[in-house]
Amino acid sequence: MPPLHFQTFNSDKVFIDNNMETTLVLLKPSCVQRQLIGEIVHRFERRGLRIAGMKMMQLDEAILREHYAHLVDRPFFPALAASMMASPIVAMAISGVEAVSVVRAMTGYTNGRVADPGTIRGDYSMSNQQNIVHASDSIENAAIELARFFRPEEIFEYESATLGFIYATNER
Ligand code: IDP
Ligand code: MG
């Protein structure tokens, strides 16, 4: 299967409301400490994505061992965990049509030095580790990760006033 951000998006959906997704973004300590919170939030808002939840949190080793379970055995895990606990992070729930793949494409490749210019990592990061944001990589993982960082009542289902100008009626 091609990488998520190279997949062709479905553009001929007829029924509304069947491809709205919510994804998890973490603004990492490399974002918070470099005072880039506003710039990164602005990018998601400008794209037409809806902020459904947002809060500052201090992560600990237990949640990071879960969140990065696929990396706990890698030699860089202790440094990665330390970098994620170096200051508070900002957790965001972001909604939109096909939001998981859209946000992942906006994030760019893991290593900021090879990430495409125009992506968040390609514009703000020079590092494989200190790469500004986390974004869920699949619809399944988005659901798991949102539940890890947010209680249900912290994710809001309000309708964006601009919805009719962000999507065609057959897209949402
Ligand atoms: P992703 O964030 O692009 O999904 P993953 O492979 O899931 O990339 O890795 C999670 C995070 O672990 C990365 O965002 C990065 O901060 C860190 N990381 C991944 N690979 C390395 C590495 O080789 N050295 C240091 N940190 C790494
Ligand atoms: Mg990942």
Side-chain angles (χ1 to χ4, degrees):
M1 206 162 90
L4 204 49
H5 54 285
F6 291 146
Q7 285 174 36
T8 307
F9 292 178
N10 188 346
S11 59
D12 55 7
K13 290 249 173 77
V14 174
F15 302 105
I16 62 170
D17 213 24
N18 56 357
N19 49 1
M20 270 297 169
E21 297 169 2
T22 303
T23 191
L24 177 82
V25 167
L26 302 179
L27 307 182
K28 296 182 176 186
S30 50
C31 176
V32 173
Q33 288 291 337
R34 290 176 55 201
Q35 302 185 195
L36 292 171
I37 295 172
E39 288 204 34
I40 305 306
V41 171
H42 191 202
R43 285 187 167 221
F44 295 126
E45 289 190 307
R46 275 190 324 199
R47 187 67 189 267
L49 292 157
R50 183 177 68 85
I51 298 172
M54 186 155 134
K55 62 176 175 179
M56 186 168 267
M57 303 171 70
Q58 174 61 50
L59 302 186
D60 60 21
E61 181 133 2
I63 198 167
L64 286 164
R65 292 185 80 82
E66 253 186 53
H67 185 62
Y68 287 135
H70 60 301
L71 299 173
V72 283
D73 297 326
R74 301 291 289 273
F76 60 79
F77 180 77
L80 169 61
S83 77
M84 291 296 291
M85 296 187 290
S87 81
I89 58 99
V90 175
M92 299 179 70
I94 295 182
S95 297
V97 172
E98 295 168 352
V100 173
S101 55
V102 168
V103 168
R104 187 78 178 166
M106 290 174 76
T107 297
Y109 289 108
T110 304
N111 184 341
R113 292 191 297 277
V114 300
D116 290 330
T119 64
I120 291 167
R121 288 165 171 170
D123 287 350
Y124 296 100
S125 172
M126 283 291 286
S127 172
N128 202 16
Q129 180 183 276
Q130 306 281 39
N131 56 6
I132 313 294
V133 285
H134 165 82
S136 303
D137 63 6
S138 66
I139 292 171
E140 296 70 28
N141 281 339
I144 293 166
E145 293 180 352
L146 285 164
R148 179 174 299 138
F149 288 90
F150 286 95
R151 294 194 302 272
E153 65 271 25
E154 292 175 323
I155 298 179
F156 296 86
E157 277 298 334
Y158 66 96
E159 184 170 309
S160 169
T162 55
L163 200 66
F165 296 91
I166 291 172
Y167 302 109
T169 48
N170 68 342
E171 288 176 315
R172 58 185 160 89

